[in-house]
Amino acid sequence: GRTGSPNSNLAHPEQIGRGLGLGEEEMAAAYNATATELFIMNVAAPTIGSLFSSALALGPMSAVLEARGKVELGDVNPDVFPVLMVNCIAWSIYSAIQSNAYIFSGNIPGVICGLFYTLSTYGLSAGPTRLKIEKLTLALATALILTCFATVTVWKAQQAAVLGLFSNALVFAVFSSPLTTLAEVLRTRNSVSINRPFGIIQVLNCFTWVAYSVYIHDMYLIIPNVFGLALGVVQCALMVVFPAKPLLKLSSSDPNLLANDVLSDYAERTPEPPQEP
């Protein structure tokens, strides 16, 4: 990626206008258009992207807080949280190398939330699940430390490239987490399992970051966000093609009672026939 200012190679609008033989009013309009473009692409887009990134990081918060309240892990999948945390740490380091405050501000909420989610689910888990969280967190942390060490010793001239590739590998893992959900949607033809706000925010978030990364010519930022944008669009398309339908909930895991549960649920959903006079 280019580490310098994205505006450093731009000619001044007045120089462009004189070269094209434009009048004062035309040059003023060209200057205002250029200034507006610079503000949108260099300030507004990454700022909005940072806000959307924060919203994505807060996505699992309600489920984790609910699990903490019940003092049980329940349906919360803890595998993605260590990946989220280390991924955002890696992007924060990448942002420092690139001297980019927008990338930094967009990932710090993920670091904090990812750490909170990891600690919370670790405290609520036991046995193989807890051991899996330990191994995953230690493996990712070790990989990040070794990568950072390599960038300041072996690959000094390729620091951004090494951290960018490492961060891309992790962000693909984060964005790929809904793939199992998409397979379930296609199998059941029901999109009830897709988190609608999360899918919409992912599209908006990745779109703003794609626009910004194209503008600053940062390939390591473009690739994962194009992937995330495509995945978000697929989720939104499935929500339209396969509308969400409420699932039939069974109140007991006892096989002898399942039939009664189904009949009771059906009776509640079915209106009574009108009484004959």
Side-chain angles (χ1 to χ4, degrees), residues 10-212:
L10 293 178
H12 194 277
E14 186 175 349
Q15 296 174 332
I16 299 175
R18 289 175 178 173
L20 296 175
L22 300 179
E24 292 293 333
E25 293 184 0
E26 293 171 317
M27 284 195 295
Y31 180 84
N32 291 332
T34 304
T36 302
E37 176 191 351
L38 291 177
F39 175 78
I40 293 175
M41 300 305 299
N42 212 28
V43 178
T47 299
I48 295 172
S50 296
L51 294 176
F52 282 139
S53 295
S54 299
L56 285 177
L58 291 170
M61 182 64 74
S62 59
V64 173
L65 291 177
E66 182 179 355
R68 286 170 62 96
K70 294 180 179 179
V71 198
E72 62 178 5
L73 199 57
D75 295 329
V76 177
N77 180 10
D79 294 350
V80 72
F81 298 142
V83 183
L84 171 66
M85 176 182 63
V86 177
N87 169 65
C88 290
I89 293 174
W91 279 112
S92 299
I93 297 172
Y94 177 82
S95 70
I97 295 174
Q98 297 288 65
S99 300
N100 192 310
Y102 295 114
I103 300 177
F104 181 80
S105 62
N107 283 278
I108 282 300
V111 175
I112 298 171
C113 291
L115 178 59
F116 175 75
Y117 301 151
T118 301
L119 293 176
S120 296
T121 53
Y122 178 78
L124 296 173
S125 61
T129 303
R130 172 172 286 205
L131 182 61
K132 186 177 182 180
I133 296 174
E134 291 176 355
K135 290 181 177 179
L136 184 59
T137 305
L138 289 173
L140 291 172
T142 301
L144 177 60
I145 292 171
L146 292 176
T147 302
C148 291
F149 179 77
T151 59
V152 297
T153 56
V154 182
W155 297 306
K156 290 183 179 181
Q158 294 85 28
Q159 289 181 339
V162 174
L163 260 301
L165 291 173
F166 180 81
S167 301
N168 269 257
L170 292 178
V171 80
F172 278 124
V174 174
F175 280 147
S176 297
S177 59
L179 289 179
T180 53
T181 301
L182 299 186
E184 180 68 14
V185 170
L186 292 173
R187 187 181 67 83
T188 61
R189 305 178 69 83
N190 184 2
S191 64
V192 69
S193 58
I194 295 179
N195 187 317
R196 277 148 183 73
F198 186 89
I200 295 171
I201 292 175
Q202 178 172 327
V203 170
L204 297 174
N205 171 67
C206 292
F207 177 79
T208 55
W209 283 113
V210 166
Y212 175 66

